[in-house]
């Protein structure tokens, strides 16, 4: 009943009244997650930064776990403004309110700003927390590496990767896969091999995603020997190839005129279809 009433208030544009009602319910230990998200969405649609700030602050103070939609709707409230002063002040408050888990909240905020295509604001938050008690962790750096790679700022991505290690944050397979995936897009396969070797020397095992990116990239650029070497290395490590890896190798072998080897791999693929890696195998839990 309360959820429906709050939704009606939001649709009528009376978001402040909806917030007051939520605060009153909260004081009575009644918490309505969907209603909070509804109010955040309404605030975002009117670009009401102050109200969005107040709602998210109330949620954090109540020590509730926020959904990803809450963070996304909060970030959306800032789309129409270039003034980041209030945002950075809020981040400083978040660090105080959410301690000792403030970095978890900040990471989700950075991700939400990136998701809503506010890249510069996401990176500004990242730079700002470096001077606060809340220091970037592995997840923070992985988010930022992905952001920079996606927008084509590969040099910045590599610089942050170096800064990450200098700060004593040890990269994981996600960090390296992000580098490899974005370097291959600009055909810097020389750097791909350097970071692939570094990955192994650091004791981090490459996964199916790592090999898929490299095998396909080297094959497309005509270096089929390196693709085959990586393919054999993958099998020696007992990482099951996917049908995509086989098809990539077969297609590139045909283009290079190596038809006999392409046929051999085609037969090998067909004989092991039930054992090939599927979509779920491209996901791996962090260490």
């Amino acid at each position: 009943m309360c959820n429906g009433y709050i939704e009606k208030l939001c649709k009528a544009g009376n978001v402040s009244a909806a917030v007051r009602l939520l605060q009153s319910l909260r004081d009575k230990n009644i918490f309505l997650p969907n209603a909070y998200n509804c109010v955040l969405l309404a605030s975002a649609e009117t670009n009401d930064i102050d109200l969005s700030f107040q709602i998210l602050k109330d949620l954090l103070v109540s020590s509730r776990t926020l959904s990803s939609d809450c963070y996304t709707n909060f970030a959306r409230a800032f789309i129409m403004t270039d003034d980041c002063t209030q945002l950075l002040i809020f981040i400083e408050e978040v660090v105080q309110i959410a301690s000792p888990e403030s970095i978890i909240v900040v990471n989700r905020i950075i991700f939400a700003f990136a998701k809503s295509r506010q890249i510069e604001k996401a990176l500004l938050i990242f730079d700002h927390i470096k001077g606060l008690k809340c220091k970037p962790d592995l997840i923070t750096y992985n988010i930022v590496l992905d952001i920079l790679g996606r927008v084509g700022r590969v040099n910045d991505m590599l610089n942050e990767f170096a800064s990450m290690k200098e700060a004593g944050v040890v990269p994981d397979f996600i960090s390296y896969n992000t580098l490899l995936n974005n370097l291959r897009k600009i055909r810097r396969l020389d750097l791909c091999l350097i970071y692939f070797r570094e990955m192994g020397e650091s004791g981090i095992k490459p996964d199916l995603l790592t090999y898929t990116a490299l095998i396909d990239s080297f094959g497309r650029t005509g270096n089929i020997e390196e693709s085959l070497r990586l393919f054999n290395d993958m099998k020696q490590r007992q990482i099951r190839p996917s049908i995509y890896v086989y098809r990539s190798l077969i297609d590139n072998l045909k283009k290079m005129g190596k038809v006999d080897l392409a046929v051999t791999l085609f037969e090998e693929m067909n004989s092991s279809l039930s054992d090939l890696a599927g979509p779920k195998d491209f996901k791996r839990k962090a260490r």
Side-chain angles (χ1 to χ4, degrees):
M1 183 176 178
C2 287
N3 276 320
Y5 183 61
I6 289 169
E7 187 176 346
K8 286 181 181 178
L9 286 173
C10 290
K11 286 182 178 179
N14 199 351
V15 185
S16 296
V19 171
R20 287 195 296 272
L21 176 56
L22 280 174
Q23 289 172 332
S24 175
L25 291 170
R26 185 200 64 196
D27 292 340
K28 297 175 183 177
N29 293 319
I30 300 172
F31 184 73
L32 305 173
N34 292 335
Y36 271 101
N37 194 42
C38 179
V39 174
L40 273 170
L41 177 59
S43 300
E45 289 173 348
T46 57
N47 303 306
D48 194 329
I49 295 171
D50 291 331
L51 195 55
S52 294
F53 175 17
Q54 180 185 339
I55 298 162
L56 200 61
K57 185 176 177 180
D58 285 348
L59 284 167
L60 293 173
V61 169
S62 67
S63 300
R64 302 284 179 171
T65 300
L66 280 63
S67 69
S68 59
D69 286 341
C70 283
Y71 288 105
T72 300
N73 287 328
F74 168 74
R76 286 179 56 199
F78 289 81
I79 288 177
M80 299 304 292
T81 180
D82 292 325
D83 184 1
C84 296
T85 304
Q86 285 178 284
L87 174 60
L88 296 183
I89 291 172
F90 172 68
I91 294 300
E92 291 175 8
E93 288 195 38
V94 165
V95 171
Q96 297 297 322
I97 294 169
S99 180
E101 298 182 342
S102 53
I103 191 58
I104 296 173
V105 176
V106 173
N107 285 343
R108 290 171 180 167
I109 291 173
I110 292 173
F111 182 81
F113 272 88
K115 185 179 178 181
S116 59
R117 299 183 181 181
Q118 300 181 78
I119 304 301
E120 293 306 322
K121 292 188 183 86
L123 296 175
L124 183 64
I125 295 169
F126 169 65
D127 285 333
H128 191 64
I129 64 170
K130 291 178 180 178
L132 304 177
K133 292 180 180 179
C134 170
K135 300 297 182 185
D137 63 3
L138 176 60
I139 294 173
T140 321
Y141 277 105
N142 281 344
I143 292 170
V144 170
L145 292 176
D146 184 63
I147 290 171
L148 293 170
R150 284 178 183 272
V151 297
R153 292 169 57 176
V154 178
N155 287 335
D156 289 337
M157 178 187 71
L158 295 177
N159 287 336
E160 284 302 340
F161 184 72
S163 298
M164 170 186 187
K165 292 189 288 185
E166 289 173 4
V169 179
V170 180
D172 65 356
F173 73 96
I174 295 174
S175 316
Y176 280 101
N177 280 349
T178 301
L179 259 62
L180 295 173
N181 190 47
N182 286 292
L183 285 169
R184 77 181 182 90
K185 289 177 183 177
I186 59 170
R187 300 197 174 187
R188 288 302 308 271
L189 301 186
D190 55 330
L191 289 177
C192 281
L193 281 180
I194 289 172
Y195 285 110
F196 179 69
R197 293 192 188 103
E198 181 183 303
M199 186 179 186
E201 290 167 359
S202 301
I204 300 169
K205 294 180 181 179
D207 62 1
L208 178 59
L209 185 61
T210 316
Y211 280 108
T212 299
L214 293 177
I215 289 169
D216 182 62
S217 297
F218 279 104
R220 286 177 182 271
T221 56
N223 193 345
I224 196 65
E225 289 77 13
E226 186 63 28
S227 285
L228 290 169
R229 187 192 70 77
L230 289 164
F231 180 66
N232 290 328
D233 185 51
M234 176 176 66
K235 291 196 291 185
Q236 286 174 5
R237 291 176 181 266
Q238 297 184 330
I239 297 173
R240 291 182 299 149
S242 66
I243 194 167
Y244 177 81
V245 169
Y246 270 107
R247 286 176 176 171
S248 174
L249 279 169
I250 291 166
D251 288 344
N252 288 315
L253 283 167
K254 287 179 180 178
K255 290 175 184 176
M256 297 295 292
K258 298 180 181 292
V259 180
D260 291 343
L261 187 50
V263 171
T264 300
L265 281 180
F266 181 75
E267 292 172 349
E268 181 182 307
M269 177 185 73
N270 285 337
S271 67
S272 57
L273 284 175
S274 61
D275 295 325
L276 296 182
K280 64 180 181 180
D281 297 292
F282 280 87
K283 297 179 180 179
R284 192 174 87 179
K285 293 181 180 179
R287 307 181 289 184

